[in-house]
Amino acid sequence: MSLTWGSVSGWWLPACLVLGLLYAWLMYRQPVQLVKSIRYTLFALRAVVVSFLALLLVSPLVRSTSYQPQKPLVLIAQDNSESIKLFSKSKDIGTSVNGLARLKVELGDDYEVHEFTFDRGLYDGLTRTFDGKQTDISNALHRLNERFVNRNIGALVLATDGLYNLGTDPQYEARNIKTNIYTIALGDTVPRRDLLLSNVNYNKTAFLGNDFEVEILAEAYQSTGENMHLTITEDGRQVNAQNISITSAVFKKVIPVKLNADKKGIRRFTISLAPVKNELSVQNNTETIYIDVLDARQKVLLLYDGPHPDLSVLKQAIESNKNFEVKTSLVSDVASQKMADYSLAILYQLSATSYSKLQNLLQSKTPLWHIAGTQADLQAFNNAQKAVKINAGRQEVQEAFAQPVSTFSAFTLTDSTRDKISKLPPLVSPFGNYEASGTASVLFRQKIGNVETSYPLLAFNDEGGRKTAALTGEGLWRWQLAEYREFGNHHAVEELLSQTVQYLTANANRQRFRVYTAKNVFDEGENVLLNAELYNDALELINTPDVKINLKSQSGKNYSFLFTRAGQSYQLNAGALPMGEYTYQATAAIGKQTFTANGQITIKQLNLETRQSTANHGLLRNIAAQSGGQMLLPSQISKLADLIRKNENIKTVVYEDKRYSDLVDAKWVFVLILLLLSAEWFLRKREGEI
């Protein structure tokens, strides 16, 4: 602990001492009845007290320094994917699991060890199940780096076979972790006799009566001279078959197949390779794909006054849902468009003149999505819709981050999408005051800097049976670029824009009762989310009656649920259902009227983990080498604790913590002054001076 003066001159210290001495001299220069020793003692006590009080008025700072040792962290990340169980030797699996479990004990109290399991996500603790359906090594490394940022990470132990089917190349993410990475190389790098379907490329949507192409990548190992027999069946009926000669020990062939969409609805196609003798695994010989065959796509009209990068983002994201087709047009060319063909119109930053040209559209029942920004006429924007009002007196802008509203219930976004969008760059909005109408549902509010406001950023409204939306900012292109840079995809932006359009067009056909999902095919283990809407005779959205739904699997098993009321509509999270195809029937009653809605969903099996059987130890060797670590085989895992202990870069770090506080806040100063004054009073009392 020491005294520092900060912005105050250090010359105040002798001045305070002089003041204390002068005060004590004036007080004790006269009394001659005191003996000299007592007089000098009282003089010293008073001088010290006055000097301290004067020093407190100057208000110097007290600097205290503490030292906090932080043990090195050792992070263990164990791959939980199915490929470990399918293609690794059981002996190696047992050795690695036991070795990782012992590592914490072997390192002792000198290290802080944290254990994790990963597949498509990251979870606490180690595992022996190896049942993950997907593997994302890059995501696991990213989340570990985020979780322990600014901590003393000494080493990362990564136990995996190097195979991944989600995310980006983990070598790039590994460079961001500033520590030594020790990789435990699981799996087998020696190709064994095996046929497999390593990839199938196809469009998830086709149109009735059209042909569509499926591109199949078939591979064969150690099977030279054999014939690869490929068959494709549609709902049990064979639609294609062919034989391919295997001409090398490592054989790969891209096989294009043309199929016909002759039936409406979700069609299931099973692609199979006939197994050969002594094959390593037949689980990777079959792949099932689902094609949603549509009669026609709904059309969306995107109107604008001038070019803007947001227009491309809107078109691409909406058309990622193959149920929709986007037509872009200048307002000046709108006369050539037949409005009755469109289920939704998006009005992007229009001027007052453009709004005046669209009076027929504004007065129709076509759902509208209004988007404001720096180029929009705000008065015309306010007059054209009732969801949001913007009062802006100056031509200035503000940057607004998206702040999700937890009570929004018009439709469902995944937690991942909400979280991602809240972290994306701000949109640019007009500077002013914003107000949402009492009937509007706000999905995102504006967060300006670190201030969370009540201003709506994206809101929805139902205006006499016509759905409308209002987005009060531009810059969706920033969202798209930032999401790709951070996560390697556009999933959150696509889900938000696709769900917005899906909601706005949901009742375009004036159905009184409608049940819909964001998609018809769900991956195995994915939660099934459904939305429902019910309208009264006046086409007003209500949710007073109960809505029940029954899902029936192909085997005849029934799953019954009751929808939850959310806002003015209904939502249901049916959880993760077993793999297969399901039909559903939902019912609701208004008085004596009973409404039903039917549909179909499919839970698709994930075979991603079976598509690669040969481990990628080269990837693990590169990750270890670039970080200064080392790749170990399962049989060498017993050496890991010694390698970590002998690594000079892995050591306890001592952090110096300096704190500054005002001297007047120090309790010991008050106690000292009180003791000195008490001692002076006691001596004066004893000598008869009081």
Side-chain angles (χ1 to χ4, degrees):
M1 183 179 295
S2 61
L3 203 64
T4 182
W5 295 96
S7 60
V8 180
S9 173
W11 287 104
W12 281 102
L13 178 60
C16 293
L17 293 175
V18 170
L19 179 62
L21 292 172
L22 180 61
Y23 188 96
W25 177 77
L26 291 173
M27 186 170 183
Y28 288 107
R29 76 182 190 281
Q30 292 297 333
V32 293
Q33 63 272 28
L34 294 173
V35 298
K36 184 179 293 186
S37 60
I38 296 297
R39 186 178 176 187
Y40 287 164
T41 301
L42 292 173
F43 175 88
L45 291 172
R46 178 59 59 145
V48 172
V49 168
V50 173
S51 297
F52 258 111
L53 291 174
L55 195 60
L56 291 178
L57 293 174
V58 176
S59 190
L61 299 176
V62 177
R63 182 178 66 188
S64 58
T65 304
S66 61
Y67 299 92
Q68 298 177 343
Q70 190 178 101
K71 298 177 183 178
L73 295 176
V74 176
L75 308 179
I76 303 174
Q78 180 193 24
D79 192 342
N80 182 48
S81 60
E82 277 189 339
S83 63
I84 302 293
K85 180 171 60 179
L86 292 173
F87 305 119
S88 297
K89 297 177 183 177
S90 56
K91 179 182 177 182
D92 287 346
I93 295 175
T95 301
S96 67
V97 169
N98 295 331
L100 293 175
R102 288 196 307 268
L103 184 59
K104 187 173 184 177
V105 177
E106 292 174 349
L107 289 175
D109 295 334
D110 294 333
Y111 300 85
E112 185 179 339
V113 181
H114 294 269
E115 300 167 331
F116 299 94
T117 297
F118 69 90
D119 39 51
R120 67 177 299 166
L122 182 71
Y123 318 97
D124 291 334
L126 300 178
T127 184
R128 293 177 180 269
T129 59
F130 303 103
D131 55 3
K133 300 295 184 181
Q134 294 173 287
T135 311
D136 191 345
I137 302 175
S138 178
N139 176 62
L141 296 176
H142 178 75
R143 292 181 62 180
L144 285 172
N145 199 26
E146 273 192 339
R147 185 165 176 175
F148 295 98
V149 65
N150 296 327
R151 296 285 302 275
N152 178 25
I153 303 177
L156 169 61
V157 180
L158 181 64
T160 178
D161 54 9
L163 301 178
Y164 61 94
N165 40 55
L166 281 180
T168 57
D169 188 337
Q171 293 182 83
Y172 297 110
E173 191 61 45
R175 292 192 183 104
N176 297 327
I177 302 179
K178 306 304 180 184
T179 189
N180 302 112
I181 300 178
Y182 294 90
T183 54
I184 309 300
L186 303 176
D188 194 347
T189 58
V190 178
R192 298 167 64 184
R193 188 178 180 85
D194 193 21
L195 306 185
L196 61 107
L197 297 170
S198 61
N199 195 28
V200 180
N201 289 323
Y202 63 99
N203 286 325
K204 296 180 181 179
T205 305
F207 294 98
L208 188 63
N210 290 352
D211 290 336
F212 61 94
E213 189 171 275
V214 176
E215 192 176 79
I216 303 164
L217 176 58
E219 300 183 14
Y221 296 94
Q222 311 303 318
S223 305
T224 307
E226 298 281 358
N227 278 327
M228 184 185 289
H229 182 62
L230 174 72
T231 60
I232 302 177
T233 60
E234 179 186 1
D235 297 328
R237 175 176 59 92
Q238 183 172 301
V239 294
N240 187 276
Q242 52 185 290
N243 289 314
I244 300 103
S245 297
I246 302 172
T247 57
S248 61
V250 180
F251 180 80
K252 297 182 181 182
K253 185 174 180 63
V254 176
I255 308 167
V257 178
K258 187 171 288 188
L259 303 173
N260 183 260
D262 56 355
K263 295 180 183 177
K264 183 182 176 183
I266 300 176
R267 313 311 302 166
R268 182 183 65 180
F269 295 87
T270 302
I271 305 167
S272 299
L273 292 174
V276 295
K277 188 177 180 181
N278 298 324
E279 188 173 348
L280 170 65
S281 171
V282 296
Q283 289 179 281
N284 51 17
N285 289 35
T286 303
E287 184 74 25
T288 300
I289 64 174
Y290 295 87
I291 308 293
D292 192 4
V293 180
L294 306 173
D295 244 342
R297 289 194 283 185
Q298 293 193 67
K299 294 183 178 181
V300 176
L301 181 60
L302 176 55
L303 295 171
Y304 59 95
D305 283 333
H308 195 283
D310 282 358
L311 299 173
S312 176
V313 175
L314 285 163
K315 181 176 172 65
Q316 291 174 16
I318 295 171
E319 289 187 340
S320 68
N321 184 335
K322 297 301 180 181
N323 289 309
F324 296 99
E325 176 185 351
V326 179
K327 171 67 176 178
T328 59
S329 173
L330 290 165
V331 175
S332 57
D333 299 331
V334 74
S336 62
Q337 304 298 328
K338 188 177 179 181
M339 292 299 177
D341 293 342
Y342 296 97
S343 302
L344 170 69
I346 302 176
L347 311 182
Y348 186 83
Q349 296 205 71
L350 300 187
S351 64
T353 303
S354 294
Y355 271 111
S356 66
K357 293 179 181 178
L358 300 173
Q359 287 305 307
N360 290 337
L361 176 63
L362 296 175
Q363 294 170 10
S364 71
K365 288 295 184 180
T366 304
L368 298 175
W369 185 2
H370 304 265
I371 300 179
T374 58
Q375 302 170 19
D377 185 281
L378 298 183
Q379 186 61 46
F381 175 85
N382 290 338
N383 294 336
Q385 49 79 39
K386 300 177 181 178
V388 176
K389 298 300 179 188
I390 306 175
N391 297 312
R394 296 176 291 176
Q395 296 296 319
E396 295 183 13
V397 297
Q398 61 192 20
E399 292 188 333
F401 294 92
Q403 175 192 349
V405 177
S406 59
T407 56
F408 179 80
S409 57
F411 56 83
T412 305
L413 291 177
T414 61
D415 292 339
S416 172
T417 292
R418 284 174 170 263
D419 181 61
K420 285 181 180 178
I421 290 177
S422 67
K423 297 176 181 177
L424 294 178
L427 299 183
V428 179
S429 301
F431 180 84
N433 294 316
Y434 292 71
E435 182 181 354
S437 71
T439 59
S441 298
V442 179
L443 174 56
F444 294 109
R445 292 196 182 103
Q446 297 184 24
K447 181 180 178 183
I448 302 172
N450 292 322
V451 179
E452 297 181 356
T453 73
S454 61
Y455 295 169
L457 183 63
L458 178 57
F460 299 84
N461 199 23
D462 194 310
E463 301 173 5
R466 178 175 70 173
K467 292 179 181 176
T468 61
L471 177 64
T472 61
E474 62 176 274
L476 296 173
W477 63 273
R478 292 191 182 95
W479 281 9
Q480 189 185 60
L481 291 177
E483 185 185 7
Y484 189 83
R485 182 181 65 246
E486 187 68 22
F487 303 103
N489 56 57
H490 306 133
H491 293 169
V493 174
E494 288 178 353
E495 181 182 344
L496 171 64
L497 299 183
S498 178
Q499 281 282 64
T500 297
V501 172
Q502 177 101 349
Y503 170 75
L504 292 173
T505 58
N507 204 43
N509 55 6
R510 298 296 181 268
Q511 284 180 277
R512 295 277 300 279
F513 180 51
R514 179 178 170 84
V515 175
Y516 59 95
T517 61
K519 53 186 178 181
N520 295 321
V521 180
F522 293 86
D523 290 332
E524 183 181 4
E526 186 178 4
N527 286 347
V528 176
L529 305 175
L530 299 102
N531 300 282
E533 294 178 343
L534 181 63
Y535 289 81
N536 61 16
D537 292 335
L539 289 180
E540 296 171 332
L541 196 62
I542 61 172
N543 68 352
T544 307
D546 288 339
V547 173
K548 300 176 182 178
I549 189 171
N550 183 69
L551 287 94
K552 186 176 182 180
S553 68
Q554 280 185 316
S555 62
K557 188 172 183 179
N558 291 310
Y559 299 85
S560 297
F561 300 94
L562 184 67
F563 275 84
T564 301
R565 293 174 177 83
Q568 292 180 298
S569 56
Y570 302 86
Q571 291 179 357
L572 171 65
N573 183 345
L577 297 175
M579 183 192 65
E581 297 179 10
Y582 296 80
T583 57
Y584 65 78
Q585 183 179 67
T587 58
I590 303 178
K592 295 182 180 180
Q593 285 183 296
T594 300
F595 300 92
T596 61
N598 300 287
Q600 179 182 356
I601 59 173
T602 300
I603 311 300
K604 182 181 69 173
Q605 182 180 14
L606 284 176
N607 289 327
L608 297 177
E609 291 298 317
T610 65
R611 289 184 177 177
Q612 291 175 283
S613 59
T614 305
N616 188 356
H617 288 182
L619 172 71
L620 303 182
R621 190 176 292 106
N622 291 340
I623 290 176
Q626 74 183 14
S627 69
Q630 186 175 335
M631 188 185 84
L632 302 173
L633 297 174
S635 59
Q636 301 172 309
I637 200 169
S638 58
K639 303 176 182 178
L640 187 55
D642 284 336
L643 288 173
I644 293 175
R645 277 194 291 263
K646 292 176 181 177
N647 192 327
E648 293 298 324
N649 296 321
I650 305 175
K651 58 183 67 175
T652 298
V653 176
V654 178
Y655 291 94
E656 182 182 70
D657 184 19
K658 293 182 179 180
R659 297 175 181 269
Y660 293 88
S661 60
D662 290 327
L663 183 61
V664 72
D665 294 331
K667 294 180 179 179
W668 64 268
V669 174
F670 170 76
V671 173
L672 177 61
I673 292 174
L674 183 62
L675 290 175
L676 292 174
L677 289 174
S678 299
E680 183 185 2
W681 177 87
F682 176 77
L683 291 175
R684 286 168 60 87
K685 182 75 173 177
R686 193 185 68 175
E687 298 298 324
E689 287 294 309
I690 298 178

